[in-house]
Amino acid sequence: MSSRLSEFLAGCRDEAPLQLGVVPFGMLYGIGALAAGMPPWLAQAASAVVFAGAAQLVIVQMLAAGAGALPIGLTAGLLNLRHVLYSVSMAEHVRHLPRRWRMLLAYLLTDEAYAVAILRYQSRPQPEAGPDNRHWYFLGCGFTLWSTWQLSTAAGLLFGATVPAEWDIDFAVPLTFIALLTLLMRERAGQAAALVAAVAALALAALPFRLGLVVAIVLGLLAGVMAAKRSRP
């Protein structure tokens, strides 16, 4: 029990610095949801059920622009395709866990939680003797992020109207992902994915409904997969 608790608390501790970007990100989503006409209860429920910051933000932006259900659903689905690769990367580390654990960790598998947890798995191999409690570290990462996201969404819904217009909190979105890049660009696959996605996002920025961002994500994922295959022995 002591080992489980120490792993959980270590995950909470290591995930905490990333919350500096998550808090304004969540508030931005809450403010955007109100501006798009979403009821506060629905906006808060989306943070608990969908639990995908980038997709939620794009959804409210497309709702405000009057986009239909089909392009919104397609865009949100494509944005979250990256989680498939996260799952593939994590599968070998959690396949020994019961299904209830794998379902819980799959729900908590977001950008920030993955970035911190995968480094733990890579830096600390499975112990030869004794139980493997690294999934408790993963749980600590996900729990910290989930709690912050719910609270920051609620703060945006409650206090968004009082935030002065000159407070440009849009910086939270790039700030959050820049922090992740510093963690994940240590290998050739991450570097290739980031480079291709960045070039594609700039080249396709004129596409409507932010579809250029979606295409850039897909191209970046493909580049990362190809680079990972080439780097294998």
Side-chain angles (χ1 to χ4, degrees), residues 53-188:
Q56 288 178 233
L57 193 58
V58 169
I59 287 171
V60 297
Q61 290 174 342
M62 293 181 71
L63 283 174
L70 181 59
I72 290 177
L74 180 62
T75 302
L78 290 174
L79 275 174
N80 285 331
L81 275 178
R82 66 192 187 279
H83 293 90
V84 176
L85 290 184
Y86 295 166
S87 299
V88 172
S89 175
M90 279 292 188
E92 62 178 299
H93 302 295
V94 300
R95 67 174 74 253
H96 65 285
L97 298 174
R99 178 175 295 182
R100 64 181 183 276
W101 261 105
R102 284 183 278 125
M103 292 178 65
L104 174 61
L105 296 178
Y107 168 68
L108 296 173
L109 185 60
T110 54
D111 301 291
E112 295 84 354
Y114 169 80
V116 176
I118 193 62
L119 293 178
R120 181 74 159 196
Y121 279 110
Q122 293 174 346
S123 62
R124 295 197 175 186
Q126 182 175 350
E128 296 181 0
D132 182 4
N133 289 321
R134 291 176 298 172
H135 56 287
W136 284 90
Y137 180 91
F138 189 174
L139 180 64
C141 295
F143 174 77
T144 301
L145 182 62
W146 186 89
S147 302
T148 303
W149 186 250
Q150 307 311 312
L151 293 174
S152 59
T153 295
L157 294 171
L158 290 173
F159 309 114
T162 64
V163 175
E166 59 270 17
W167 287 16
D168 187 6
I169 62 174
D170 290 355
F171 75 92
V173 179
L175 175 64
T176 301
F177 288 99
I178 287 173
L180 296 182
L181 282 175
T182 61
L183 295 175
L184 297 178
M185 286 186 62
R186 301 176 181 179
E187 298 182 354
R188 186 169 299 175

Side-chain angles (χ1 to χ4, degrees), residues 188 225-233:
R188 186 169 299 175
V225 170
M226 294 175 62
K229 288 183 177 179
R230 290 186 176 183
S231 65
R232 291 175 182 173

